[in-house]
Amino acid sequence: MAFFTKQVRRTFSSSAVRNLVIKHVTIIGGGQMGAGIAQVAASTGHRVTLVDTSDDILKKSVKGIEGSLKRVVKKKFADKPEAGEEFVQKVLQNISTSTDDASAVQGTDLLLEAIVENLKVKQDLFGRLDKLAPEQTIFASNTSSLSISDIASSTKRLDRFGGLHFFNPVPMMKLVEVVKTSKTSQETFDSLLNFSKVLGKIPVSCKDTPGFIVNRLLVPYSMEAIRLHERGHGSKEDIDIAMKLGAGYPMGPFELGDYVGLDTIKFIMDGWHAIEPDNPLFAPSELLNKLVAEGKYGKKTGEGFYKYK
């Protein structure tokens, strides 16, 4: 009887995910990434519940989404202002907010976190909500550098756990890295791929390796540019100009680092260096460490490799 019950439960879980069309999304984290994902999901007809720790944060998130939508409307509905306003209101009606993540996960199809890039914090969140969310709910992380398998290990739904790595700013960037771990079921992976496509994004399939595809290539490239400069083999300005004109990149590595945030790059590299201390690609940089220690993170602080007014 126990074996039969387990088989029925397994069959129910698999078929539920196989037939799941994601309609209701719960997003934990109302920051720039979470709000951007919420905007895109709501704009494509999904019901979105945006969750954060305070109403003030959520009000700021919704205000930011509204402002972003109005910028979209100026271009998309330039000759039809009334239709544009109707579009904004319709999208906003698809978004609800909550400070109670336990109740927010009830009845949701997809739980996606976009919170602080800290493994234990993410594990604690998912481990707690795993006990509360419906069995068929898919869990996903928007992490850019942490292992999806490590995050998922705090739950009992390893087959219904994957990665959805969006890029900033979410409404503008078309790419989504969809991450499949060794435990992620094909049904779950297909649901995440289809969800990304419905959002109007272009998904790429990724394995659960450090940095997935984009950051695994981009961050070491940025670090090698810093090392090139540290060795005195090129100025920041010349390296940036060379990569823009020679490789056709829209920004040079130092400009890009300031845009992304030097603290973010250091955090990623420190994590990878801890995992693979002998990998020269992940070796720390004295210059990067110095700038971060001085609070010079780039554009967001007014100074990084370059100064900003």
Side-chain angles (χ1 to χ4, degrees):
M1 185 66 178
F3 174 77
F4 175 75
T5 303
K6 288 180 181 177
Q7 289 294 103
V8 170
R9 186 179 298 117
R10 188 177 297 116
T11 301
F12 168 75
S13 175
S14 177
S15 62
V17 173
R18 183 181 298 119
N19 297 320
L20 179 63
V21 175
I22 296 172
K23 297 180 179 179
H24 181 197
V25 186
T26 297
I27 300 169
I28 310 293
Q32 193 171 24
M33 287 299 295
I37 298 167
Q39 175 184 328
V40 172
S43 297
T44 48
H46 296 84
R47 287 190 299 119
V48 177
T49 303
L50 187 59
V51 181
D52 214 304
T53 54
S54 76
D55 288 326
D56 287 341
I57 293 174
L58 291 167
K59 286 177 182 176
K60 183 178 179 181
S61 300
V62 173
K63 185 177 180 181
I65 291 171
E66 184 175 7
S68 178
L69 287 170
K70 287 181 177 178
R71 288 191 292 275
V72 171
V73 162
K74 283 185 178 179
K75 296 181 179 179
K76 192 174 181 180
F77 297 91
D79 300 326
K80 300 177 181 179
E82 291 183 1
E85 181 58 29
E86 183 180 344
F87 170 76
V88 171
Q89 293 308 314
K90 186 176 181 180
V91 173
L92 292 176
Q93 286 172 8
N94 287 335
I95 302 174
S96 61
T97 61
S98 176
T99 56
D100 183 3
D101 55 14
S103 63
V105 299
Q106 300 300 318
T108 194
D109 299 319
L110 172 66
L111 173 64
L112 175 62
E113 69 81 14
I115 60 174
V116 63
E117 196 77 337
N118 181 290
L119 178 60
K120 187 178 186 307
V121 174
K122 292 180 189 290
Q123 286 177 329
D124 289 347
L125 173 75
F126 281 120
R128 179 168 53 81
L129 296 181
D130 184 45
K131 302 178 179 68
L132 303 172
E135 185 179 8
Q136 72 272 17
T137 298
I138 294 174
F139 281 15
S141 173
N142 182 57
T143 181
S144 61
S145 63
L146 300 174
S147 164
I148 298 295
S149 296
D150 288 347
I151 298 171
S153 66
S154 64
T155 76
K156 294 182 179 179
R157 62 180 75 211
L158 302 183
D159 60 325
R160 285 153 286 150
F161 207 118
L164 277 177
H165 181 218
F166 291 81
F167 291 80
N168 192 36
V170 179
M172 300 293 294
M173 300 293 279
K174 298 291 288 184
L175 182 66
V176 177
E177 292 180 320
V178 184
V179 187
K180 187 177 190 288
T181 75
S182 61
K183 302 292 185 182
T184 306
S185 71
Q186 189 61 45
E187 292 81 13
T188 295
F189 185 67
D190 288 343
S191 290
L192 293 176
L193 278 176
N194 291 335
F195 172 67
S196 302
K197 292 175 182 177
V198 172
L199 295 185
K201 303 300 184 184
I202 299 173
V204 293
S205 172
C206 301
K207 299 298 183 183
D208 191 19
T209 54
F212 315 130
I213 294 176
V214 174
N215 282 338
R216 181 61 179 81
L217 296 173
L218 190 62
V219 176
Y221 151 75
S222 297
M223 291 300 296
E224 186 55 27
I226 296 171
R227 296 186 192 104
L228 190 71
H229 175 59
E230 286 178 320
R231 293 193 297 267
H233 294 168
S235 68
K236 300 188 299 289
E237 294 80 5
D238 283 347
I239 293 171
D240 276 348
I241 290 171
M243 293 311 296
K244 285 189 288 187
L245 299 184
Y249 290 1
M251 286 189 281
F254 294 97
E255 294 170 322
L256 181 63
D258 279 355
Y259 178 79
V260 171
L262 303 187
D263 55 329
T264 300
I265 293 176
K266 173 175 163 51
F267 178 85
I268 292 172
M269 290 306 302
D270 286 349
W272 292 356
H273 181 65
I275 296 171
E276 297 183 40
D278 297 326
N279 190 331
L281 290 175
F282 301 159
S285 156
E286 289 185 13
L287 176 57
L288 179 64
N289 289 346
K290 179 177 181 293
L291 289 171
V292 172
E294 293 173 351
K296 299 174 181 177
Y297 299 162
K299 294 194 87 171
K300 61 186 174 184
T301 59
E303 185 176 354
F305 289 117
Y306 299 109
K307 290 184 179 181
Y308 302 87
K309 294 181 179 179

